[in-house]
Amino acid sequence: MAEISIEEIKRLRELTGVGITDAKQALQAADGDFDKALSEMRKKGLTKAEKRGEREARAGLIGSYVHDGRIGVLVEVNCETDFVAKTDEFKALVNDICLHVAASSPEYVAVDDVPAEAKKATEVEFTEKVKSEGKPDNMVPQIVEGMLKKHFAEKALLEQPFVKNPDQTVSDYIKEHIAKLGENIVVRRFTRFVLGEVN
C-alpha cells in the first residue's frame, strides 16, 4: 500500500470538493497515483453534477467584463442559493465565463437555443455545398449532419473549448464547479457588445 500524505489528500479535496475521507479512499484505491485518483473523483463528481443539473437555479450573479473599452460583456449565471452566489469560487466562475464570452464571441448559450429557421437555412446551404462537391446522394445527409453539429457547436457557449483551458468545454468547466459547490449552476443568458457594431 502506497504511503499517502495529508498534503495530497488536501490537494485532492480542494480540486474536487469532496470530503477528506473520500479523498483519502480515492488515493488508496488509486494506489497513491494522484492523477488517477483525481480522474476517478472527477468522474464521480460529474455524475453527481449531472443529477444536480435537474434542480432549480434562481439565485446567482450578473457578471460584467469590459476589454480595452472596446468589448463589453454581461452574463447572468444562476445557482441555487445566495450562499453559493457569494463564494469566491462562484464569483471567479462568473468572471471566467465573462472573459470567455469576450474572447470567443458565442452566439447562443446552448445548441438547443439555435432557432429552427437558422438551423434549416444552414442545412440547405450545407446540402447544396456538399452536392456541388459531387458526394454520393446517399452520403449527403450524414455529411451535412456532421457539418451542422460542428458549425453550431462553434457558436454555442457551452460547447466551445474553454478559453483558459481548451482541453475542456465551457460545459465541463461549469460541471466541475457544480461538483465542487454542490449546487446546480446554469448560464441563463449573455450579451456581448462590440464598439461600433449594431446587433
Side-chain angles (χ1 to χ4, degrees):
M1 179 68 87
E3 186 70 29
I4 291 153
S5 71
I6 191 74
E7 283 74 26
E8 286 205 313
I9 293 170
K10 279 183 182 169
R11 193 168 144 230
L12 184 61
R13 186 170 175 254
E14 279 165 20
L15 286 170
T16 60
V18 300
I20 285 181
T21 310
D22 287 341
K24 187 177 179 183
Q25 285 171 348
L27 282 161
Q28 286 170 339
D31 206 26
D33 182 332
F34 186 85
D35 292 334
K36 189 177 170 190
L38 179 61
S39 171
E40 285 306 308
M41 290 313 290
R42 281 202 167 137
K43 278 182 206 158
K44 279 185 189 172
L46 293 184
T47 307
K48 283 184 186 170
E50 310 268 314
K51 288 178 186 159
R52 286 192 187 106
E54 295 156 19
R55 301 201 313 228
E56 188 79 12
R58 285 280 169 236
L61 291 174
I62 292 175
S64 63
Y65 172 71
V66 177
H67 179 74
D68 226 8
R70 301 183 59 78
I71 298 171
V73 172
L74 284 174
V75 177
E76 180 182 347
V77 184
N78 299 131
C79 55
E80 294 174 46
T81 63
D82 283 337
F83 175 77
V84 161
K86 288 176 180 155
T87 62
D88 289 343
E89 277 137 320
F90 187 79
K91 288 175 187 171
L93 169 68
V94 174
N95 189 50
D96 281 344
I97 293 171
C98 286
L99 289 173
H100 178 91
V101 171
S104 300
S105 61
E107 290 177 34
Y108 312 98
V109 173
V111 173
D112 291 347
D113 298 333
V114 179
E117 57 271 19
K119 282 183 180 171
K120 192 72 202 154
T122 310
E123 186 180 348
V124 169
E125 182 193 320
F126 286 172
T127 302
E128 285 171 9
K129 184 176 184 289
V130 172
K131 281 182 175 172
S132 73
E133 288 169 358
K135 298 282 193 282
D137 282 353
N138 63 331
M139 295 292 289
V140 171
Q142 200 177 339
I143 295 167
V144 169
E145 191 183 331
M147 288 169 74
L148 284 169
K149 200 171 176 182
K150 183 175 184 290
H151 176 77
F152 288 114
E154 285 169 2
K155 293 179 179 298
L157 168 69
L158 297 177
E159 301 299 320
Q160 289 181 332
F162 177 46
V163 76
K164 284 188 170 179
N165 177 10
D167 292 338
Q168 65 178 171
T169 62
V170 173
S171 177
D172 290 337
Y173 183 61
I174 291 168
K175 280 178 188 167
E176 275 185 9
H177 283 74
I178 292 172
K180 256 190 221 177
L181 296 167
E183 287 195 4
N184 186 20
I185 296 171
V186 177
V187 178
R188 190 73 57 197
R189 55 194 161 163
F190 65 84
T191 305
R192 185 177 183 273
F193 304 93
V194 178
L195 192 67
E197 279 185 17
V198 180
N199 288 349

